[in-house]
Amino acid sequence: MGVAAGFGVLALGAVFLLGPGITVSHAADCGNVAAPGLDWSGCSKTNIMLQTSDLQGANLVGAHFDSTDLSDADLTSANLEKATLVRAWLKNAKADGANFAKIEAYRSDFSNASANNVSFANAELQRAEFAGAQLNNADFQKAELGRADFDKALLTGANFSFANLSRATLNGAVMEGPTSFGGAFMYLTRIEGLDLSKAGGLQQAQINLACGDNTTILPSWLKAPSAWPCPPDEKD
């Protein structure tokens, strides 16, 4: 009893030594089932089926969802910063206001997702699929988007500043208001038929690298290069 009491006093003393206002971080709820607001930060959830899961407002920072099916899931306002979503499925997901900054999502599928007002800043999104997605006011600053597909995506107000858009497919996207391309790398970016009349930050050097045609609408201060149209892109 004396030894036990001694340990109790030591434990109590340790709590007080932490000082006022200092809290000990709790472990993530990795064993819990998907639910709004849960904490899966740093958890491994790879190669599983999470379709239609409700993860509204969840803390998913640094979580691993590689090859996981999140189709039709609700990720509204969830925080997925630095999460990995390589080859993950997010078709038809609801993700308005979510944070996807610094994610690794090579070959991920966001087709037909609702992802307005989201952040993909500094994200790795090579060959990601965004066809038909709602991405109004999305932030793609400094994102890696090589060969990403934005066919029929809604991109009004999106920010591609300093993003790598090499060989990305933007033709077929809808931009009904200002969209920023300041400093974006647009080597062989497909912009055939795209209305860029309201785009901001575009420079002639970017247009000279891109692939448009006589249906591409450019801002008044830019002109179509004589090299247009480009040959068909070789898919590999």
Side-chain angles (χ1 to χ4, degrees):
M1 290 296 291
V3 173
F7 278 123
V9 171
L10 288 173
L12 185 60
V15 172
F16 284 113
L17 285 173
L18 289 174
I22 300 177
T23 57
V24 180
S25 60
H26 64 281
D29 307 322
C30 295
N32 289 5
V33 297
L38 94 170
D39 183 0
W40 273 355
S41 56
C43 298
S44 179
K45 298 292 177 181
T46 61
N47 294 289
I48 59 176
M49 312 295 279
L50 290 171
Q51 307 103 310
T52 72
S53 295
D54 189 347
L55 291 163
Q56 293 183 65
N59 179 10
L60 308 174
V61 173
H64 300 278
F65 293 103
D66 299 328
S67 299
T68 287
D69 193 346
L70 285 157
S71 301
D72 297 289
D74 193 340
L75 294 162
T76 304
S77 299
N79 187 359
L80 294 99
E81 184 171 354
K82 296 183 179 179
T84 61
L85 294 131
V86 177
R87 296 179 182 270
W89 291 271
L90 293 96
K91 292 182 178 181
N92 306 306
K94 298 177 183 178
D96 295 330
N99 182 14
F100 291 99
K102 302 179 182 179
I103 63 169
E104 294 182 23
Y106 177 81
R107 287 190 182 274
S108 55
D109 189 348
F110 291 86
S111 57
N112 298 310
S114 181
N116 300 300
N117 303 297
V118 304
S119 175
F120 285 104
N122 296 283
E124 299 282 342
L125 292 159
Q126 296 92 333
R127 297 179 182 270
E129 180 65 63
F130 290 100
Q134 298 178 38
L135 295 160
N136 296 314
N137 301 309
D139 183 4
F140 287 99
Q141 289 187 76
K142 298 183 179 179
E144 291 290 335
L145 292 159
R147 291 191 181 275
D149 184 3
F150 290 93
D151 182 42
K152 297 182 176 62
L154 305 181
L155 291 167
T156 299
N159 186 356
F160 290 103
S161 297
F162 299 101
N164 178 8
L165 287 163
S166 59
R167 297 183 183 272
T169 299
L170 287 171
N171 54 325
V174 178
M175 301 176 187
E176 296 179 341
T179 302
S180 178
F181 289 92
F185 183 55
M186 297 180 66
Y187 175 71
L188 299 183
T189 303
R190 309 304 303 206
I191 57 173
E192 294 93 343
L194 188 63
D195 185 352
L196 290 167
S197 60
K198 298 179 181 178
L202 278 175
Q203 302 294 323
Q204 188 65 49
Q206 292 169 293
I207 296 302
N208 292 345
L209 288 174
C211 291
D213 59 16
N214 60 4
T215 64
T216 303
I217 303 175
L218 296 172
S220 59
W221 62 89
L222 301 176
K223 62 181 181 179
S226 59
W228 285 4
C230 298
D233 191 15
E234 296 181 5
K235 303 296 182 182
D236 54 17

